[in-house]
Every structure is written in C-alpha cells, then in structure tokens.
Amino acid sequence: MPTELVWEGKFDAKGCKKAPLRVQLPFQEVETINESALDRGKQLALFHAGQTRAWRNRLIWGDKKYVLPSLLPEFAGQVNLIYIDPPFAVGSDFSFQVTIETETFTKEPSMLEVKAYRDTWVKGLDSYLQWFYETSILLHELLSEDGVIYVHLDEHAGHYAKVLLDEVFGKSNFLHEIVWHYPDNFQGNVNGFANNHNILLVYAKRAKVKLKRLEIPLEKAVKRDVRVWSKTEKKIVAGRDEAGNLLYRTYETKFADDVWTIGQSSVTKAKSSEWLSYPTQKPEELLRRVIESASNAGDLVLDCFCGSGTTPAVAEKLGRRWIAADLGRFAIHTTRKRLLTIDNVRPFVVQNLGKYERQLWQKSIFGPEEQELQTRYLQFILKLYHAQPLTGNFWLHGIKAQRGVHIGSIDAPITEADVRMTVAEWQKALGERPTKGIDFLGWEFAFELNEITKQQAALAGADLRFLRIPREVLEQKAVEQGDIQFFELAALFVATTIKERTLTLKLTNFVLPLDYVPAEIQAQVTNWEAWIDYWAVDFAFKKDTFHNEWQSYRTRKANKIQTQVAYTYETPGTYQVQVKVIDILGNDTTKTLQIVIAK
Ligand SMILES: C[S@@+](CC[C@H](N)C(=O)[O-])C[C@H]1O[C@@H](n2cnc3c(N)ncnc32)[C@H](O)[C@@H]1O
C-alpha cells in the first residue's frame, strides 16, 4: 500500500474513497463579448450546418463542484495547462472593495460565497482536504496527456496538498516546487521571519513532460547609447536625455530557477497599473512564467478559481485559449472588465449553469412526480419567504403581511402574462381577503416588468413588488441556517431618441432598493450614477444571449461612466434593445426596449 494522506471523511462506510460529484449540466451562454454581428452570423451558420463552431474563450460563473464535472464531456484530456490558486481563508478571499468616487469600502461576502467557504471548512482541515481531493481528481481527468498543472498554495496547506497530489497525479509525475518570493511584502515587527513566500506545486499528467526554460531579465541600469555593449547585455529604448540622446534600459537575462522573485506590490499598491482592488490578486508576471513554461500559443489553459482574472488576462495576451471560472459574482465582473481593457481582446462568452442547476436541485429535493414536485416546491419557497400558503387559486400561491405572493417557476422567467393573470386572480379574491398588493418571487424576470407592468397594475389598484429568489435557496445549509434573503429588483430608466436611423440611449436614473446596501456605502452615494459600475448594450437583442456590442465602465484611471450612447442601424425595422447595468456591488439589472427605425 503506497503512503497516502488520510483524513476524516475520505472513505465511505464501505471503505471506498468518496468520489466527486459527477453531474453534467449544460452551460448557458448568458453573454457574448466582442463578437461582431458578422462573426455571430458565421457561428450560427456553422451551428445550423451541424458543424463545430469556432472556439470562443469562456468565462464561467459557477461553483467548481458543478463546473468541473460539466466540462468533462467536452474537455476530458483536452486541457494543456491548469493553474489554480484555490481559496484558503475567508475574508480575504471573498470580500471585495467598492470604490465610490474617492472613498473605498470593503463589501462583505455574499451568503453564497460564505456558504461555499463553510462547506469547505465545516470540519476544518479534513473537509478542506476532501474538497481539494475531489477538485484534483476532476482536474486530472481534464488535463491532456502532455498537460501540466500548477497548484498555488502557501505554508498552511502546501505540505498536505503535495502528498494528496502525489496520490492523484502520481509521485513520479511531480515536476517542481516553485517558491514565489515577494520581498516587498511586510518587513516590520514580526517574530522570527517575515512570511514573504507562497509555493506552486507543479505536476505533469505523464512524467516525460518537460517545462520550457524561461529567461528572466535582470535589469541593470538606464544609460546613454554607447558604441560597445557587452555581449550578454540587452537593451530597450527608455527615452531621451535632456540633450536628446537616446537612453536605453539595459538588462541581462538568466534562466529562471525554482525561486521566483516577483514583487507583490504590482497588485497591492494603488498606484500600480495592475491593481484591481481584488484582495487575492496575483501578479501578471507570475502567470506569464506559469503559462510560458508549460504551454504554446493556441493551447488551452484552465483556471477554476480565477478571482480577478489574472490567468485569463495573461493567457489572452499570450495567445492561449482559456476557460476561467469562479463562484463569486464580483470575480466574474472584475474579470470581464479586465479582459475588456486588453487591446484586441478576442471574443469570449460568459456562461453559467442557470436553470439546469436549479432543475437538478428541484428533482433531487422534491421527487420525480411532476404534480407533487410543484406543490412541494411552492410550499418550500413560501416557507422561506415566511408566507402562508393560499389554496384554491392558480396564480396566487400565498399571502404575507396582507400581500399576495406569486412564485415563479424554476425554469422560466416571470412574464407580463404571469403578472396579468395573477393580478386578475388577486382582484377576484379581493372581496374575500383584502391585500395591499402582490409580491412576485422569481428566479428570472422577463423584460420591462419592473416599470411598465407596475404602472399598469397600479391602475388596477395593485401595488407590485418583484423580488429575486436567491441562488442560496439551492444550498441546504444556507436554508437551515436561515440565510435566505429576497432582494427587490433595481429599476433602470433609459430615455431614447431616434433621428433617422440613429438611436440615442441615455441613462436617466437607476434606483437600487437599499435594504441590502451597507449603510456606509449608502451614505456616500450622492447621485444615481455612482451606483453604476458598468453598462452594456445589445442593439439587436434576439431574446437569447446578450450580445455585448458597446459598453462603458469605470476603471481606476477613468472613474466615470458615459451615460449616453448613439448607434446607427443599417436597415429599418423593429429592434429589441437590451441594456445591462452592473452596479458597484456586482449585481446586474437589465432593461429591454423596443424601438422602430422607420426608414
Ligand atoms: C485566491 S482567489 C484567486 C485569485 C486569483 N488567482 C487572482 O489572481 O485574482 C480564490 C478564488 O476562488 C473562488 N472560489 C472559492 N470557492 C470556489 C468554488 N467552490 N468554486 C469556484 N470558485 C471558488 C473565490 O471566489 C476566489 O475568487
């Protein structure tokens, strides 16, 4: 029996090792970015002709527990390089900073993120190791025969992880332990030695794989042009001196060894160009070395804990294909923005597991019988919302604090028709049971519900509220612990003007229900624009994927959004225009408008 690490929970009652969950859920494309209408047409044609569509890099919002097994049918044995920087401690991993004008606040993690952390750590190190073990098994299956994995850890778990990776990847496939040394970190008053390193464990799928040697520049000086340069000295132009003479930055190179000294300040200092306020962000130079050492242009790179998106950003710059995933809403948003700032970023898609994940949950919790499943689902959500069930109605499912409650189905958005029918039923029931209005709880909402429908319903005397059913509902422990909060949708106001074939959109207001916004953030916001971090437009929305054709967003350099955009249509017609806003807390709100271009 080979030496291996054992932890509580590694084996089931029969003495077999517990295997990872193997669900295979289809990914849903929620957004395409930087894809021209022409390319989109080509992709569609290929799809209809039964041919493989051109490759698109993928940014996936989801828990690795579902994402990794769902990638297997398409990517088992196909990934050339994996880099993971898994979460270790909560707080630093999940909280993020929100900047409003000049003030910065730390936003607490969402319940879902806390929950993932709790799951991982519920039994301390034992459950962390089981979580890591299951991750490693699936990553091993995704890796190609000549593939390499880099696992980024620190002194808390690195030694356990190495024994565990020996078991999953094979001891003989261990290639290196890299020390990432960041001497610019804390040097102050510590006991013993300042902690200024992390480790990266490198394994191959098969022992024969060799990493490429990397040349590391050793900078020497900036100096004036001279006739004779030493043979080993390389130089790049660094500007001119006062007399106009060319200045060169000179450097020598050496081959990197297994200690990589890369300053951390590039990602932690507000003045650095890389810094994105993401607490666990890693330097791009680190990822450059990882990617260049173990992949070639066109190879596929995977990171299922992408955080601020360092891996996809560097992979993009180095011409690799990439798949990046993260559980955090804010991580996905930070990554999307980061990629957009790269010159000529290739088109990519944003995906999630959406309703498929929910359907899986619904069947597993409420049983296979359709009728029974529906009733139990409604009861479950009503209970979470602290509402009483109402019988004898079709559209009105419950009542809470004198308001009727309608619950949207698990796999379809609440539509205007749903609202109309519910309001009609509510009016009929008014004599029996007076209510002030109706709360609609939905996973998704069809366009325009928030304003137009509200106005129409107000005419019928019904005050409507639309609240999102949070994804935490799917997590048993969050439910047990009463962690479920239903948040009201934000309202976005957009004015349109059309002159000949040119449409101008202007954001005129954005109203965020404030019940979940930290008080100190609320106090800082003096105008509605300050809530908006990013907005994008699909000028010819087809009611499927959101095709991002234009966007405006804040960066540290340009901390202002544009509130107006003009777009000229080539042909007359009736178009749906979808506007998507992502607020400074990472939540999105969409609004769909219908416009007519007459001639
Ligand atoms: C240490 S950070 C990665 C930082 C990243 N290397 C960078 O340069 O920004 C770990 C990330 O894992 C994500 N995460 C934690 N648990 C997860 C899970 N179960 N599935 C997917 N992502 C998860 C967190 O949201 C966090 O962004």
Side-chain angles (χ1 to χ4, degrees):
M1 164 109 181
T3 307
E4 66 175 53
L5 187 66
V6 176
W7 56 88
E8 201 192 319
K10 181 170 184 178
F11 298 95
D12 63 17
K14 290 186 189 144
C16 300
K17 285 179 187 169
K18 281 191 204 150
L21 181 73
R22 283 179 186 277
V23 284
Q24 292 180 351
L25 305 176
F27 291 101
Q28 277 187 304
E29 205 157 289
V30 289
E31 191 170 336
T32 66
I33 297 182
N34 250 16
E35 173 106 43
S36 69
L38 186 68
D39 281 344
R40 224 153 60 213
K42 282 188 198 156
Q43 292 282 64
L44 211 60
L46 286 171
F47 177 74
H48 288 311
Q51 292 174 9
T52 320
R53 292 193 289 171
W55 170 262
R56 290 291 175 259
N57 293 323
R58 291 157 73 156
L59 177 60
I60 305 171
W61 181 20
D63 192 321
K64 65 89 194 169
K65 164 167 88 176
Y66 303 115
V67 171
L68 293 179
S70 302
L71 285 172
L72 279 172
E74 202 179 341
F75 294 105
Q78 302 295 317
V79 179
N80 305 96
L81 169 64
I82 296 171
Y83 166 86
I84 54 165
D85 174 18
F88 193 80
V90 78
S92 64
D93 275 328
F94 286 128
S95 63
F96 61 86
Q97 291 178 335
V98 175
T99 303
I100 300 168
E101 277 133 28
T102 52
E103 299 282 333
T104 299
F105 303 92
T106 300
K107 160 87 171 60
E108 292 307 314
S110 77
M111 283 306 160
L112 170 60
E113 292 157 337
V114 172
K115 171 66 182 42
Y117 169 78
R118 249 195 249 129
D119 266 4
T120 317
W121 280 103
V122 73
K123 289 191 195 140
L125 186 63
D126 289 299
S127 51
Y128 182 76
L129 291 175
Q130 181 63 27
W131 180 91
F132 184 75
Y133 176 66
E134 291 175 8
T135 312
S136 311
I137 290 177
L138 298 172
L139 291 176
H140 182 256
E141 289 176 33
L142 287 164
L143 207 55
S144 65
E145 286 303 297
D146 58 354
V148 169
I149 180 168
Y150 274 77
V151 180
H152 188 138
L153 294 158
D154 65 12
E155 73 282 4
H156 294 100
H159 52 306
Y160 296 110
K162 181 152 189 279
V163 183
L164 194 153
L165 290 166
D166 278 349
E167 180 184 330
V168 176
F169 284 82
K171 213 164 179 296
S172 57
N173 294 330
F174 169 70
L175 297 180
H176 293 285
E177 175 174 296
I178 310 260
V179 171
W180 168 36
H181 176 219
Y182 38 89
D184 52 348
N185 200 24
F186 184 64
Q187 294 283 349
N189 192 11
V190 288
N191 278 335
F193 307 104
N195 182 347
N196 280 350
H197 84 285
N198 282 178
I199 59 168
L200 288 87
L201 299 170
V202 194
Y203 283 78
K205 180 105 167 223
R206 297 276 168 264
K208 287 202 183 83
V209 172
K210 279 204 180 112
L211 299 187
K212 279 183 247 170
R213 301 188 79 185
L214 292 177
E215 278 194 51
I216 307 293
L218 296 175
E219 194 164 308
K220 284 175 68 184
V222 174
K223 60 184 186 184
R224 274 180 43 195
D225 199 3
V226 285
R227 277 244 150 76
V228 187
W229 293 85
S230 99
K231 271 195 180 153
T232 56
E233 219 168 17
K234 303 192 176 180
K235 56 188 197 322
I236 49 172
V237 177
R240 286 181 187 274
D241 66 10
E242 282 164 4
N245 299 312
L246 270 178
L247 290 174
Y248 288 91
R249 179 167 285 124
T250 72
Y251 60 96
E252 289 182 355
T253 58
K254 69 158 192 168
F255 284 118
D257 56 23
D258 58 5
V259 177
W260 296 357
T261 301
I262 303 167
Q264 212 186 25
S265 55
S266 58
V267 289
T268 54
K269 290 280 181 300
K271 61 178 183 302
S272 104
S273 62
E274 280 184 40
W275 186 66
L276 293 165
S277 314
Y278 202 87
T280 52
Q281 186 185 345
K282 301 297 179 295
E284 293 205 359
E285 172 61 14
L286 184 84
L287 265 298
R288 182 189 73 79
R289 293 188 194 187
V290 167
I291 292 174
E292 288 200 331
S293 68
S295 68
N296 297 307
D299 279 357
L300 180 58
V301 178
L302 167 71
D303 181 350
C304 59
F305 305 107
C306 74
S308 65
T310 315
T311 307
V314 178
E316 179 67 33
K317 290 176 188 172
L318 295 175
R320 271 55 167 177
R321 292 176 300 137
W322 52 263
I323 299 174
D326 201 286
L327 171 74
R329 180 190 296 274
F330 193 68
I332 296 300
H333 178 51
T334 307
T335 302
R336 168 176 34 210
K337 265 175 52 171
R338 180 176 192 166
L339 288 160
L340 279 168
T341 59
I342 299 175
D343 284 344
N344 302 321
V345 61
R346 292 164 298 173
F348 63 98
V349 295
V350 183
Q351 299 181 318
N352 65 20
L353 293 165
K355 64 177 181 185
Y356 300 105
E357 193 182 354
R358 301 200 291 266
Q359 283 166 340
L360 187 87
W361 166 81
Q362 196 186 35
K363 281 222 163 61
S364 72
I365 301 279
F366 306 118
E369 283 295 321
E370 196 54 44
Q371 186 64 39
E372 176 83 339
L373 176 149
Q374 191 56 19
T375 317
R376 290 174 61 195
Y377 160 73
L378 293 176
Q379 284 168 353
F380 178 80
I381 302 284
L382 284 171
K383 194 162 169 217
L384 287 178
Y385 193 53
H386 305 294
Q388 305 301 320
L390 265 186
T391 47
N393 296 297
F394 188 80
W395 298 95
L396 269 181
H397 302 125
I399 186 150
K400 177 183 177 180
Q402 293 194 359
R403 295 180 68 85
V405 179
H406 168 88
I407 296 170
S409 96
I410 200 124
D411 43 16
I414 293 187
T415 62
E416 202 210 316
D418 297 336
V419 175
R420 235 185 308 113
M421 304 303 266
T422 312
V423 170
E425 205 170 75
W426 175 84
Q427 279 178 317
K428 267 200 221 142
L430 266 183
E432 302 152 31
R433 196 191 279 266
T435 71
K436 294 177 179 161
I438 311 170
D439 291 350
F440 289 84
L441 314 185
W443 298 90
E444 288 168 33
F445 294 85
F447 358 100
E448 282 306 285
L449 278 186
N450 220 8
E451 293 103 46
I452 292 188
T453 324
K454 265 185 178 169
Q455 286 162 14
Q456 286 168 352
L459 296 177
D463 166 49
L464 306 190
R465 292 201 313 176
F466 297 102
L467 299 103
R468 211 182 283 279
I469 303 175
R471 192 190 163 280
E472 287 81 11
V473 163
L474 275 49
E475 311 278 350
Q476 196 183 341
K477 281 210 197 81
V479 169
E480 283 165 6
Q481 299 187 7
D483 279 350
I484 308 298
Q485 278 175 288
F486 294 78
F487 296 124
E488 207 178 329
L489 299 190
L492 172 67
F493 298 86
V494 185
T496 55
T497 41
I498 299 169
K499 234 189 203 161
E500 296 179 350
R501 287 193 191 162
T502 299
L503 164 73
T504 303
L505 293 178
K506 186 171 170 43
L507 301 190
T508 55
N509 200 358
F510 182 69
V511 184
L512 199 67
L514 294 178
D515 43 2
Y516 68 109
V517 179
E520 75 272 26
I521 297 186
Q522 287 186 36
Q524 280 300 317
V525 176
T526 49
N527 76 54
W528 61 266
E529 280 172 42
W531 291 118
I532 300 179
D533 186 54
Y534 167 106
W535 67 289
V537 186
D538 181 349
F539 291 99
F541 181 59
K542 299 274 176 0
K543 298 191 180 172
D544 53 0
T545 305
F546 177 84
H547 300 294
N548 181 339
E549 295 180 294
W550 177 91
Q551 70 278 324
S552 169
Y553 50 91
R554 294 174 199 278
T555 62
R556 272 192 314 114
K557 274 192 212 140
N559 191 17
K560 229 180 160 4
I561 50 155
Q562 228 172 291
T563 51
Q564 188 167 315
V565 59
Y567 180 85
T568 304
Y569 287 87
E570 279 175 13
T571 40
T574 302
Y575 295 90
Q576 306 278 342
V577 175
Q578 190 164 77
V579 181
K580 179 195 282 228
V581 163
I582 300 184
D583 61 48
I584 55 171
L585 302 169
N587 299 305
D588 53 295
T589 302
T590 53
K591 187 177 177 82
T592 308
L593 313 159
Q594 181 161 302
I595 59 126
V596 180
I597 302 292
K599 49 180 177 124

